[in-house]
Amino acid sequence: MIIVLKPGCKKRTVDLIMKKVKEQGFTPHAIVGVERTVIGAVGDDRDKHLLEALEAIPCVEKLVPILQPYKLASREIRREPTVVAVDGAFFGGGHFGVIAGPCSVETEKQIVETALKVKKAGAKMLRGGAFKPRTSPYAFQGLEEVGLKLLAKARKESGLPFVTEVINPEDVEMVGEYADALQIGARNVQNFSLLRRVGKFGKPIVLKRGMSTTIQEFLMSAEYVLSEGCNDVILCERGIRTFENATRNTLDISAVPVIHERSHLPIIIDPSHATGVRNYVPPLCFAAMACGADGIMVEVHPDPQKALCDGPQSLDIEGFAGVVKRLKELSKFSGKKL
Ligand code: PEP
Ligand code: MN
């Protein structure tokens, strides 16, 4: 249920209504908008009649049921787009955030050099996996905590915040101590205990769509994170599995307008995992901006031929710099801030 408050409602009254919502067995989430505050009361739908008495409070304008199964992620609860800020990188509400970096952290030289160079080219955030979810148990699994330390070093040298994937619920605190934002990979999009754990931790989350996740399921996964109190969720479309095999996955570009219609959360595009092919990455970065996405996450390696993971889809530094240059030109038409 959404409790819509009248404009100018005092904080004291908001707190009082939140308390009353809790007393009825619902969890209140205050969403402070430009004009007015609304309170989302999330709980068992069968008990919603218990909230009806709130309508008598003078500051309450009306009660509106949330029709979608996802509540906190839905546009119904928040009409304005959410802007997620990660230490100088912004996603959503007219901001186009650029995240770049290698698939995995390999050496100090590799990650520090990449960080310095992608920053110079215009990236606002660094990516790099320290825990890699590989299809084969024999493939490189990442440097784990050593990789996190190297990412922290790259952040210190470059000033770029970083996002890195966390795979196990029990590693969330450790990875979260180092990272500026936590990534949930495609394979874990419905790992509900992991989603709850990162939601509780509180740092911003980059949530990747699974290869066979519908948009509704994707938004339900975001709901798990939001319901634990974390408001900073960046959704990431990274390609879905179809019959087409010319590309690694099929980029579902239509997910961008669909998600913008249904949710206030920012949605970014990962053209690297969507295609698996370096040459297809730049056109899809431009498509991301053209269709109104809130950013991109791109794999960049200083020497893609030698990459331990995903070299064929990684741009080199020069290729990435060319993409950002063109995106800046396109931003004049799209109205997005890079
Ligand atoms: C990644 O971004 O490092 C990754 C493994 O991607 P995905 O989870 O989308 O496959
Ligand atoms: Mn990769």
Side-chain angles (χ1 to χ4, degrees):
M1 188 73 84
I2 304 171
I3 303 155
V4 183
L5 305 186
K6 291 184 181 151
C9 187
K10 298 238 162 51
K11 168 138 190 339
R12 205 163 12 102
T13 317
V14 176
D15 291 344
L16 178 80
I17 298 169
M18 303 259 285
K19 190 165 159 265
K20 287 190 181 295
V21 168
K22 253 192 227 156
E23 281 166 8
Q24 300 306 333
F26 285 75
T27 308
H29 297 262
I31 293 153
V32 183
V34 181
E35 264 182 48
R36 61 175 87 223
T37 297
V38 303
I39 297 172
V42 182
D44 193 330
D45 256 2
R46 289 168 300 181
D47 292 337
K48 63 178 183 242
H49 62 279
L50 297 174
L51 296 168
E52 277 162 16
L54 295 174
E55 223 157 6
I57 299 174
C59 215
V60 173
E61 189 168 291
K62 57 182 171 184
L63 301 189
V64 184
I66 308 175
L67 300 176
Q68 297 293 353
Y70 40 86
K71 311 288 178 191
L72 300 170
S74 86
R75 269 277 177 202
E76 293 174 67
I77 206 163
R78 188 183 162 96
R79 260 175 282 158
E80 301 134 41
T82 286
V83 180
V84 177
V86 189
D87 195 18
F90 297 94
F91 303 85
H95 297 274
F96 191 88
V98 176
I99 309 175
C103 182
S104 55
V105 182
E106 297 166 3
T107 62
E108 179 174 329
K109 182 175 179 302
Q110 173 242 18
I111 193 67
V112 172
E113 182 185 335
T114 308
L116 292 170
K117 291 186 172 165
V118 296
K119 169 149 193 208
K120 188 155 178 259
K124 291 291 179 335
M125 192 158 159
L126 179 68
R127 62 148 288 145
F131 291 87
K132 294 303 305 173
R134 302 304 299 276
T135 304
S136 163
Y138 311 119
F140 176 56
Q141 305 284 308
L143 298 180
E144 304 188 345
E145 195 168 0
V146 172
L148 298 174
K149 288 189 200 304
L150 296 181
L151 281 162
K153 177 113 207 282
R155 170 177 54 205
K156 195 158 175 245
E157 301 271 325
S158 66
L160 286 182
F162 73 83
V163 57
T164 195
E165 180 162 354
V166 57
I167 292 173
N168 295 311
E170 57 274 23
D171 288 338
V172 168
E173 279 73 23
M174 190 264 285
V175 179
E177 285 242 334
Y178 292 93
D180 301 286
L182 294 168
Q183 180 172 316
I184 301 298
R187 288 152 195 82
N188 271 318
V189 68
Q190 290 189 313
N191 182 338
F192 301 120
S193 52
L194 180 63
L195 295 175
R196 283 197 191 280
R197 196 78 169 251
V198 294
K200 273 198 188 79
F201 189 71
K203 282 207 176 166
I205 305 301
V206 175
L207 178 63
K208 300 193 82 174
R209 182 179 180 184
M211 49 281 269
S212 58
T213 313
T214 64
I215 288 172
Q216 176 150 322
E217 287 162 346
F218 189 24
L219 291 173
M220 291 308 290
S221 293
E223 187 77 13
Y224 266 90
V225 179
L226 298 168
S227 70
E228 293 296 337
C230 170
N231 296 323
D232 296 322
V233 177
I234 302 166
L235 302 169
C236 179
E237 160 60 40
R238 46 76 75 205
I240 52 174
R241 198 166 270 188
T242 66
F243 58 84
E244 183 52 70
N245 58 13
T247 47
R248 184 171 169 180
N249 292 287
T250 299
L251 180 67
D252 181 12
I253 198 95
S254 59
V256 174
V258 174
I259 285 172
H260 276 158
E261 187 176 81
R262 297 183 184 186
S263 176
H264 53 88
L265 296 172
I267 163 90
I268 64 170
I269 293 287
D270 170 354
S272 311
H273 293 90
T275 61
V277 181
R278 179 178 311 120
N279 284 349
Y280 306 154
V281 169
L284 295 182
C285 291
F286 310 143
M289 176 162 283
C291 77
D294 302 298
I296 47 169
M297 177 156 74
V298 195
E299 286 189 337
V300 179
H301 193 285
D303 189 355
Q305 310 285 4
K306 296 211 179 109
L308 293 181
C309 183
D310 286 348
Q313 68 194 34
S314 300
L315 297 177
D316 60 14
I317 305 287
E318 208 188 340
F320 173 68
V323 165
V324 179
K325 188 164 174 274
R326 184 100 184 97
L327 283 173
K328 282 193 177 144
E329 287 162 11
L330 293 173
S331 71
K332 290 179 204 145
F333 302 98
S334 72
K336 293 264 181 190
K337 287 189 275 288
L338 228 75

Coordinates of all heavy atoms in Angstrom, one line a residue, residues 115-157:
A115 N 43.0 1.3 -14.6 CA 42.3 2.3 -13.9 C 42.7 3.7 -14.3 O 41.9 4.6 -14.6 CB 42.5 2.1 -12.4
L116 N 44.0 3.9 -14.4 CA 44.5 5.2 -14.8 C 44.1 5.6 -16.2 O 43.7 6.7 -16.5 CB 46.1 5.3 -14.7 CG 46.6 5.2 -13.2 CD1 48.1 5.0 -13.3 CD2 46.3 6.4 -12.4
K117 N 44.2 4.6 -17.1 CA 43.9 4.9 -18.5 C 42.4 5.1 -18.8 O 42.0 5.9 -19.5 CB 44.5 3.9 -19.4 CG 46.1 4.0 -19.4 CD 46.8 3.1 -20.3 CE 48.3 3.5 -20.4 NZ 49.1 2.5 -21.0
V118 N 41.6 4.2 -18.1 CA 40.1 4.4 -18.4 C 39.6 5.7 -17.8 O 38.7 6.4 -18.3 CB 39.2 3.2 -18.0 CG1 39.6 2.0 -18.8 CG2 39.3 3.0 -16.5
K119 N 40.3 6.1 -16.7 CA 39.9 7.4 -16.0 C 40.2 8.5 -17.0 O 39.4 9.4 -17.2 CB 40.6 7.6 -14.7 CG 40.4 9.0 -14.2 CD 40.4 9.2 -12.8 CE 39.8 10.5 -12.5 NZ 40.3 11.0 -11.2
K120 N 41.4 8.5 -17.6 CA 41.8 9.5 -18.5 C 40.9 9.6 -19.7 O 40.5 10.6 -20.2 CB 43.3 9.2 -18.9 CG 43.9 10.3 -19.7 CD 45.4 10.3 -19.6 CE 46.0 11.4 -20.5 NZ 46.5 10.9 -21.8
A121 N 40.4 8.4 -20.1 CA 39.5 8.3 -21.3 C 38.1 8.8 -20.9 O 37.3 9.0 -21.8 CB 39.5 6.9 -21.8
G122 N 37.7 8.9 -19.6 CA 36.4 9.4 -19.3 C 35.5 8.5 -18.4 O 34.4 8.8 -18.2
A123 N 36.1 7.3 -18.0 CA 35.3 6.4 -17.1 C 35.1 7.1 -15.8 O 36.0 7.8 -15.3 CB 35.9 5.1 -17.0
K124 N 33.9 6.8 -15.1 CA 33.7 7.3 -13.8 C 33.8 6.3 -12.7 O 33.8 6.6 -11.5 CB 32.3 8.0 -13.8 CG 32.2 9.2 -14.6 CD 33.0 10.3 -14.0 CE 33.0 11.7 -14.7 NZ 32.8 11.8 -16.1
M125 N 33.9 5.0 -13.2 CA 34.0 3.9 -12.2 C 34.7 2.8 -12.8 O 34.7 2.5 -14.0 CB 32.5 3.5 -11.9 CG 32.4 2.6 -10.7 SD 30.7 2.8 -10.1 CE 30.5 1.3 -9.2
L126 N 35.4 2.1 -11.9 CA 36.3 0.9 -12.4 C 35.5 -0.4 -12.1 O 34.8 -0.5 -11.1 CB 37.6 0.9 -11.6 CG 38.6 -0.2 -11.9 CD1 39.2 -0.1 -13.3 CD2 39.7 -0.1 -10.8
R127 N 35.7 -1.4 -12.9 CA 35.1 -2.7 -12.6 C 36.3 -3.7 -12.7 O 37.3 -3.4 -13.3 CB 34.1 -3.2 -13.6 CG 34.5 -3.3 -15.1 CD 33.7 -4.4 -15.8 NE 34.2 -5.7 -15.4 CZ 33.4 -6.8 -15.3 NH1 32.1 -6.7 -15.7 NH2 33.8 -7.9 -14.9
G128 N 36.1 -4.9 -12.1 CA 37.1 -5.9 -12.1 C 36.7 -7.0 -11.1 O 36.3 -6.7 -10.0
G129 N 36.7 -8.2 -11.6 CA 36.3 -9.4 -10.8 C 37.4 -9.9 -10.0 O 38.5 -10.2 -10.5
A130 N 37.2 -10.2 -8.7 CA 38.2 -10.9 -7.8 C 37.6 -12.3 -7.5 O 38.4 -13.2 -7.3 CB 38.4 -10.1 -6.6
F131 N 36.3 -12.4 -7.5 CA 35.6 -13.7 -7.4 C 34.9 -13.9 -8.7 O 33.9 -13.2 -9.0 CB 34.7 -13.7 -6.2 CG 35.3 -13.6 -4.9 CD1 35.7 -12.3 -4.3 CD2 35.7 -14.7 -4.2 CE1 36.3 -12.2 -3.1 CE2 36.3 -14.6 -2.9 CZ 36.6 -13.4 -2.4
K132 N 35.3 -14.9 -9.5 CA 34.8 -15.1 -10.8 C 33.9 -16.3 -10.9 O 34.3 -17.4 -10.5 CB 35.9 -15.3 -11.9 CG 36.8 -14.1 -12.1 CD 36.0 -12.8 -12.5 CE 35.2 -12.9 -13.7 NZ 34.4 -11.7 -14.0
P133 N 32.6 -16.1 -11.3 CA 31.7 -17.3 -11.4 C 32.0 -17.9 -12.8 O 31.4 -17.5 -13.8 CB 30.3 -16.6 -11.4 CG 30.5 -15.2 -11.9 CD 32.0 -14.9 -11.7
R134 N 32.9 -18.9 -12.9 CA 33.2 -19.5 -14.2 C 32.4 -20.7 -14.5 O 32.1 -21.5 -13.6 CB 34.7 -19.8 -14.2 CG 35.6 -18.6 -14.0 CD 35.4 -17.4 -14.9 NE 35.6 -17.8 -16.3 CZ 36.8 -17.7 -16.9 NH1 37.9 -17.4 -16.2 NH2 36.9 -18.0 -18.2
T135 N 32.1 -20.9 -15.7 CA 31.3 -22.1 -16.1 C 32.1 -23.4 -15.8 O 31.6 -24.4 -15.4 CB 31.0 -22.0 -17.6 OG1 30.3 -20.8 -17.8 CG2 30.1 -23.2 -18.1
S136 N 33.4 -23.3 -16.0 CA 34.3 -24.5 -15.8 C 35.0 -24.3 -14.5 O 35.6 -23.3 -14.2 CB 35.3 -24.6 -16.9 OG 36.4 -25.5 -16.5
P137 N 35.0 -25.4 -13.7 CA 35.8 -25.3 -12.4 C 37.3 -25.2 -12.6 O 38.0 -25.0 -11.7 CB 35.4 -26.6 -11.7 CG 34.9 -27.5 -12.7 CD 34.4 -26.7 -13.8
Y138 N 37.7 -25.5 -13.8 CA 39.2 -25.5 -14.1 C 39.7 -24.2 -14.7 O 40.8 -24.0 -14.9 CB 39.5 -26.6 -15.1 CG 38.9 -28.0 -14.7 CD1 38.0 -28.6 -15.5 CD2 39.3 -28.5 -13.5 CE1 37.4 -29.8 -15.1 CE2 38.7 -29.7 -13.1 CZ 37.8 -30.3 -13.9 OH 37.2 -31.5 -13.4
A139 N 38.7 -23.2 -14.9 CA 39.1 -21.9 -15.5 C 39.5 -21.0 -14.3 O 39.2 -21.3 -13.1 CB 37.9 -21.3 -16.2
F140 N 40.2 -20.0 -14.6 CA 40.7 -19.0 -13.6 C 39.5 -18.5 -12.8 O 38.6 -17.9 -13.3 CB 41.4 -17.8 -14.4 CG 41.9 -16.7 -13.5 CD1 42.7 -16.9 -12.4 CD2 41.5 -15.4 -13.8 CE1 43.2 -15.9 -11.6 CE2 41.9 -14.3 -13.0 CZ 42.7 -14.6 -11.9
Q141 N 39.7 -18.6 -11.5 CA 38.5 -18.3 -10.6 C 38.7 -16.9 -9.9 O 37.8 -16.5 -9.1 CB 38.4 -19.4 -9.5 CG 38.3 -20.8 -10.0 CD 36.9 -21.2 -10.5 OE1 35.9 -21.0 -9.8 NE2 36.9 -21.7 -11.7
G142 N 39.7 -16.2 -10.2 CA 39.9 -14.9 -9.6 C 40.9 -14.9 -8.5 O 41.2 -16.0 -7.9
L143 N 41.5 -13.7 -8.2 CA 42.5 -13.6 -7.1 C 41.9 -13.5 -5.7 O 42.7 -13.4 -4.7 CB 43.4 -12.4 -7.4 CG 44.2 -12.5 -8.7 CD1 45.1 -11.2 -8.8 CD2 45.1 -13.7 -8.8
E144 N 40.6 -13.5 -5.6 CA 39.9 -13.4 -4.3 C 40.4 -12.1 -3.5 O 40.5 -11.1 -4.1 CB 40.0 -14.7 -3.6 CG 39.5 -15.8 -4.5 CD 39.3 -17.2 -3.8 OE1 39.9 -17.3 -2.7 OE2 38.6 -18.0 -4.3
E145 N 40.7 -12.3 -2.2 CA 41.0 -11.1 -1.4 C 42.2 -10.3 -2.0 O 42.3 -9.1 -1.9 CB 41.1 -11.4 0.0 CG 41.1 -10.2 0.9 CD 40.9 -10.4 2.4 OE1 40.9 -11.6 2.8 OE2 40.8 -9.4 3.1
V146 N 43.2 -11.1 -2.5 CA 44.3 -10.4 -3.1 C 43.9 -9.4 -4.2 O 44.3 -8.3 -4.3 CB 45.4 -11.4 -3.7 CG1 46.5 -10.7 -4.4 CG2 45.9 -12.3 -2.5
G147 N 42.9 -9.9 -5.0 CA 42.3 -9.1 -6.1 C 41.6 -7.8 -5.5 O 41.7 -6.7 -6.1
L148 N 41.0 -8.0 -4.4 CA 40.3 -6.8 -3.8 C 41.3 -5.8 -3.3 O 41.1 -4.6 -3.5 CB 39.4 -7.3 -2.6 CG 38.3 -8.3 -2.9 CD1 37.6 -8.7 -1.6 CD2 37.3 -7.6 -3.8
K149 N 42.4 -6.3 -2.8 CA 43.5 -5.3 -2.3 C 44.1 -4.6 -3.6 O 44.4 -3.4 -3.5 CB 44.6 -6.1 -1.6 CG 44.2 -6.6 -0.2 CD 45.4 -7.1 0.5 CE 45.1 -8.1 1.6 NZ 44.3 -7.7 2.7
L150 N 44.2 -5.3 -4.7 CA 44.7 -4.6 -5.9 C 43.7 -3.6 -6.4 O 44.1 -2.5 -6.9 CB 45.1 -5.7 -6.9 CG 46.2 -6.6 -6.6 CD1 46.4 -7.6 -7.7 CD2 47.5 -5.9 -6.2
L151 N 42.4 -3.9 -6.3 CA 41.4 -2.9 -6.7 C 41.5 -1.7 -5.8 O 41.3 -0.6 -6.3 CB 40.0 -3.6 -6.7 CG 39.6 -4.5 -7.8 CD1 38.5 -5.4 -7.5 CD2 39.3 -3.7 -9.1
A152 N 41.7 -1.9 -4.6 CA 41.8 -0.8 -3.6 C 43.0 0.1 -4.0 O 43.0 1.3 -3.9 CB 41.8 -1.3 -2.2
K153 N 44.1 -0.6 -4.4 CA 45.3 0.1 -4.8 C 45.0 1.0 -6.1 O 45.4 2.1 -6.2 CB 46.4 -0.9 -5.1 CG 47.7 -0.3 -5.5 CD 48.8 -0.5 -4.5 CE 49.9 0.5 -4.6 NZ 50.8 0.3 -5.6
A154 N 44.3 0.3 -7.0 CA 43.9 1.0 -8.3 C 43.0 2.2 -8.0 O 43.1 3.3 -8.6 CB 43.2 0.1 -9.2
R155 N 42.1 2.1 -7.0 CA 41.3 3.2 -6.6 C 42.1 4.4 -6.0 O 41.9 5.5 -6.4 CB 40.3 2.7 -5.6 CG 39.5 3.9 -5.0 CD 38.4 3.4 -4.0 NE 39.0 2.5 -3.0 CZ 38.3 1.6 -2.3 NH1 37.0 1.4 -2.5 NH2 38.9 0.9 -1.4
K156 N 43.1 4.0 -5.2 CA 43.9 5.0 -4.6 C 44.7 5.8 -5.6 O 44.8 7.0 -5.6 CB 44.9 4.3 -3.6 CG 45.5 5.2 -2.6 CD 46.0 4.5 -1.4 CE 46.7 5.5 -0.5 NZ 48.1 5.1 -0.4
E157 N 45.2 5.0 -6.6 CA 46.1 5.7 -7.6 C 45.3 6.5 -8.6 O 45.7 7.6 -9.1 CB 46.8 4.6 -8.5 CG 47.7 3.7 -7.6 CD 49.1 4.2 -7.5 OE1 49.6 4.8 -8.4 OE2 49.7 4.0 -6.4

